[in-house]
Amino acid sequence: MQNYKMWIGGKWLDAVSGKTYRIVNPATGEEITQVPLGDKRDVDNAVEAARNAFPAWSKKSQTERSAIMMRIAQAIREHAQDLGSLDVLEHGTPIRDAIPSVIFSAERIEYCSQVARGFMGAVQPIKSNVLFYLQREPIGVCSLIIPWNVPLRMIASKLGTALTLGNTCVIKPPSINSLVALRLGKILEELDILPPGAVNIITGPGGSVGEALSSHPDVGLVSFTGSCETGKAIMQAASQTVKRMILELGGKNPFIVLKDADLNAAVSKAVPISFVNSGQICAAPGRFYIHENLYDEFVERFLADARKIVVGDPADQRTQMGPVVSAEHRNNVEAYIQSAIDEGAQLLLGGKRPETPPLDKGCFVMPTVFGNVTQNMKIARDEIFGPVVPIMKFSSEDEVLKLANDNTFALSASVWTKNLSKALTFVNELQAGYVWVNDHMALSSEQPWGGFKQSGFGKENGVLSLQEYTQIKAVSIQI
Ligand code: NAD
């Protein structure tokens, strides 16, 4: 069993407390290893290391920093196999998805480092005797707090942008799967191209490590992706020192199929994206609204495709869906399944664990589909974050727009129609940070991502994300 430590100021350290906690393989329920249980004292040390590294790192030219970031991205590509295998081991991501996900992470860093080269300044002459210009500066120490569902990709988005632009960082990986982040630390150490302390990685629980990173007076920005409840706690903790914040929170994304939609296209997209990563993707469709004329056919075709999803050992190339991330999370998902049954939804598929060994040992939930769901049922309102699909019926476009917007989350949405004018009406009226037409969950590094309403604020990815990790100084010089 490999011995994992935290990375602080370029050194691998145990927690000050000396305590550790278990990382468990969700596919088997077995312990993989132990990692340090950090607390506020470790956070203080990491923030100090990041603060000390800031002058050297931020004073490098953008060209130099971008070249270093390109080298880091290349190293991630070179380690795709071992980073991907760790994702399989500690998260249960099927290997066929895990390796492309690592490559996508590298590509995100490459994108930021290239875009940053044209981003840092602008001169705007306002009078002949005044030179006025805007100067972008990095913020300083950034706390990057990461959720468990796609940790490397989240780190790549946040670190790729923050570090490229001259900030230094303390990363807090999710406590239940911290190994990918620690492996990335090893890769950065081997490259030996960053000042010690430019990147630090602290493992431990959100309540202590995450809280300390959100309230530390020397942290300038908290970039958080995770649940809405934790986002609210972070806002409170960060308010005492008026930190800048990016909050990427939960979603309950409507997938709306209008009467004139291409049903084949809608179903062929709907099924894989409902079950990829066992439904644990913030952008996944959280509720389906199908026009009453198409409902029966949509459900029938959806079920036919969903029955073919191969559930199994995530290390097997044939597996399309692995376990959910932990036994505790499976309990949450199962509680939603039970609530749907109790509230009268029609269980059309799944709703149970696989019974055949060895899957009975892991945290598996079979692909689950409910029909005849209504808007006030818990599965139609809450983010389930599991392989559970609620399908609802509607009769008019006005009605479905109201239903789609009737949720505190507003992360993303999709509408399926062949009519351009209807599509644009939905684009304008849907409350969501991202709207797809005749597609869902198609994302790239160029496109900014971030929600409306209680799905948070601030953008990750795309050029707009670079603004989030910099501050603008206006300079006016009398000549
Ligand atoms: P979570 O909120 O439980 O945890 C996220 C991170 O915050 C973890 O590292 C955790 O240890 C830490 N944390 C917990 N309590 C904290 C506190 N009081 N202060 C500071 N940090 C604390 O979320 P999760 O269960 O890991 O992830 C699932 C959630 O993330 C879902 O709601 C999902 O929608 C959301 N998510 C959103 C996006 C997006 O882009 N909007 C992307 C991925 C996941």
Side-chain angles (χ1 to χ4, degrees), residues 288-417:
F288 284 87
Y289 294 103
I290 313 298
H291 188 273
E292 58 190 2
N293 291 7
L294 301 180
Y295 179 88
D296 289 343
E297 198 179 346
F298 180 91
V299 168
E300 191 184 316
R301 291 204 203 175
F302 190 103
L303 291 173
D305 284 5
R307 283 192 193 98
K308 294 183 202 143
I309 299 273
V310 180
V311 179
D313 173 3
D316 187 328
Q317 278 291 352
R318 288 164 301 182
T319 296
Q320 291 170 300
M321 196 182 99
V324 298
V325 74
S326 66
E328 190 191 346
H329 188 55
R330 179 172 59 181
N331 291 342
N332 298 337
V333 173
E334 287 178 337
Y336 277 114
I337 293 174
Q338 191 55 50
S339 80
I341 293 167
D342 295 344
E343 289 182 304
Q346 184 187 9
L347 179 61
L348 299 170
L349 184 70
K352 54 181 187 194
R353 306 175 178 187
E355 280 146 19
T356 41
L359 302 192
D360 55 338
K361 301 266 183 312
C363 310
F364 291 86
V365 179
M366 293 305 283
T368 296
V369 181
F370 282 99
N372 290 339
V373 174
T374 54
Q375 182 78 355
N376 287 328
M377 291 180 183
K378 267 170 88 66
I379 56 161
R381 304 206 67 80
D382 295 2
E383 185 183 45
I384 304 171
F385 229 53
V388 179
V389 172
I391 309 185
M392 292 175 265
K393 214 184 260 187
F394 70 90
S395 20
S396 79
E397 281 148 28
D398 285 349
E399 176 200 3
V400 76
L401 260 174
K402 282 200 190 93
L403 293 171
N405 287 337
D406 169 32
N407 199 283
T408 53
F409 290 125
L411 187 58
S412 67
S414 67
V415 62
W416 295 74
T417 174

Side-chain angles (χ1 to χ4, degrees), residues 145-150 154 172-175 204-207 210-211 214 224-228 230 233-234 248-251 282 383 385 411 449 455:
I145 304 180
I146 309 294
W148 49 256
N149 67 322
V150 272
M154 295 293 150
K172 188 218 157 315
S175 12
E211 205 279 335
S214 312
F224 169 75
T225 300
S227 65
C228 193
T230 309
I234 287 176
E248 302 292 348
L249 309 178
C282 60
E383 185 183 45
F385 229 53
L411 187 58
W449 176 255
S455 289

